[in-house]
Amino acid sequence: MEERVAKETFEAAKRASVSQLLMKAGRLVNERALARVPEAPGRPRLRPSHTALLPHLDLEGTRLGVLAERLGVTKQAVTQLVDDMEAMGVLERVPDPTDGRAKLVVFADDGPTLLMQGMRYLAEIDGELAAALGPRRHAALSSALAAVIAALEGE
Amino acid sequence: MEERVAKETFEAAKRASVSQLLMKAGRLVNERALARVPEAPGRPRLRPSHTALLPHLDLEGTRLGVLAERLGVTKQAVTQLVDDMEAMGVLERVPDPTDGRAKLVVFADDGPTLLMQGMRYLAEIDGELAAALGPRRHAALSSALAAVIAALEGE
DNA sequence: CCACTTGGTCAATCTTGCTTTACTAAATGA
DNA sequence: TCATTTAGTAAAGCAAGATTGACCAAGTGG
């Protein structure tokens, strides 16, 4: 009897938690998205840490230190990320006109092109998810996720 | 004009994608869950790879090689994970009665206790999310995520 | 003018989560 | 019985993503 209850509890706990579903779904989407990016030989490959940088960039250019703060990592870590993305041709460092020490991280000439290409992969996956879920649940998912993020980030 | 359109496109792309929301929400939940687990000095700390092992364990005991297959990693990788979780007091290796070479990975005496403790952290977070979303959206999120995982795993 | 702070870089190192290579011991079967 | 397969372990190493510490050059304030 005891045994049986334990088993049920255990099996239920395995699936029931939204937190676990969220972690798993996030991981799967991440894998799928990165798998789609073609390799450019000679240049560093796009990795999750690079894509994590993108949402923090402003079109007008962003100080490296500001990026570090937004990402919650050290400036050195960002230096490495920006180095990579410079080598990929996505970003560029330009001197900050208002402070001779500072540099602004901006999109390179064809950065937006590459970026939009990346967005297309995400859009593709979105489309696949929408097809699997149907428009209603896809919309519901989108709004629920936004609320989750707001709740978790606003701590 | 051009400039303005680019900016809008860019800013919209930053948020609009469900894929991105999913990745971000997953990351945030993960961080929050791990932050809640108290450190037990002297023993290895619980890390994401450990928690990834748990859903693949059967109550009756599971062969190490089977775990490796389910996780999609080498047996050596699982050996290391099980080593850690043995040191934490969560799991135990017992000889497989049907094969002298094999070992069964089972929960240690107080393994279920520790495990349920972990589940409680997840349940807590679930509760917080439910509170933030309201019961309707929380349920919708759960069902949508299950569908996403099914779609992505069934490839 | 000089001390100090600030923005960024360089180099070395650490942790995580794996892998490859090499090995031991038990099972299997011609 | 003896060669081969199978279950697991041990040790070393690697790539990713960070960190710490030492540094330089440009601003800033007494």
Side-chain angles (χ1 to χ4, degrees):
Chain A
M1 285 297 123
E2 269 283 31
E3 189 57 29
R4 176 110 196 84
V5 170
K7 176 158 181 114
E8 271 169 24
T9 308
F10 176 72
E11 296 298 332
K14 266 192 194 175
R15 335 185 195 311
S17 139
V18 167
S19 311
Q20 275 181 295
L21 292 175
L22 216 36
M23 292 189 275
K24 184 162 195 174
R27 189 172 41 74
L28 287 173
V29 167
N30 214 317
E31 283 167 11
R32 173 163 296 215
L34 287 174
R36 228 158 264 204
V37 178
E39 303 247 1
R43 304 186 166 189
R45 184 172 92 266
L46 189 69
R47 289 183 272 98
S49 56
H50 299 127
T51 63
L53 181 63
L54 295 177
H56 298 290
L57 293 166
D58 307 309
L59 271 189
E60 322 84 64
T62 321
R63 290 254 187 108
L64 204 138
V66 171
L67 288 175
E69 203 177 330
R70 289 185 186 168
L71 277 168
V73 300
T74 58
K75 289 184 290 178
Q76 290 89 326
V78 175
T79 297
Q80 293 178 42
L81 289 180
V82 173
D83 283 350
D84 285 347
M85 300 196 72
E86 221 166 1
M88 293 179 215
V90 177
L91 299 181
E92 232 171 13
R93 271 176 257 228
V94 300
D96 184 336
T98 75
D99 187 333
R101 296 164 301 175
K103 290 173 191 172
L104 291 177
V105 177
V106 299
F107 288 103
D109 287 356
D110 56 347
T113 310
L114 294 172
L115 199 63
M116 286 303 156
Q117 223 165 61
M119 299 290 191
R120 259 210 304 285
Y121 299 127
L122 289 181
E124 267 175 40
I125 294 176
D126 267 35
E128 290 161 20
L129 290 182
L133 295 180
R136 289 181 67 86
R137 278 201 299 179
H138 188 252
L141 177 58
S142 177
S143 111
L145 286 175
V148 165
I149 292 173
L152 260 47
E153 277 196 326
E155 108 269 48
Chain B
M1 286 294 120
E2 271 284 31
E3 189 57 29
R4 176 111 195 84
V5 170
K7 175 154 183 121
E8 271 170 23
T9 308
F10 176 73
E11 296 296 333
K14 266 194 193 176
R15 340 185 192 309
S17 141
V18 167
S19 312
Q20 276 182 296
L21 293 176
L22 216 37
M23 292 189 276
K24 183 161 195 176
R27 190 171 41 73
L28 288 172
V29 168
N30 215 316
E31 282 166 12
R32 173 164 297 216
L34 287 174
R36 228 158 264 206
V37 179
E39 303 249 359
R43 304 185 165 190
R45 188 173 87 266
L46 188 69
R47 288 183 271 100
S49 57
H50 299 126
T51 65
L53 181 63
L54 295 177
H56 299 290
L57 293 167
D58 307 309
L59 271 190
E60 323 83 64
T62 320
R63 291 254 188 108
L64 203 138
V66 172
L67 288 175
E69 204 176 327
R70 288 184 187 169
L71 276 168
V73 301
T74 58
K75 288 183 292 176
Q76 291 87 327
V78 175
T79 298
Q80 293 178 40
L81 290 180
V82 174
D83 283 350
D84 283 348
M85 300 195 74
E86 223 167 358
M88 292 180 217
V90 177
L91 300 180
E92 231 172 12
R93 271 176 258 229
V94 300
D96 184 337
T98 76
D99 187 334
R101 297 165 299 176
K103 291 173 190 173
L104 291 177
V105 177
V106 300
F107 288 104
D109 287 355
D110 56 347
T113 310
L114 293 172
L115 199 63
M116 286 305 157
Q117 224 165 63
M119 299 290 191
R120 259 211 302 286
Y121 299 128
L122 290 181
E124 268 175 39
I125 294 176
D126 267 36
E128 290 162 19
L129 291 181
L133 296 181
R136 290 182 65 86
R137 278 203 297 180
H138 188 252
L141 177 59
S142 178
S143 112
L145 286 175
V148 165
I149 291 173
L152 258 48
E153 276 196 327
E155 105 268 52

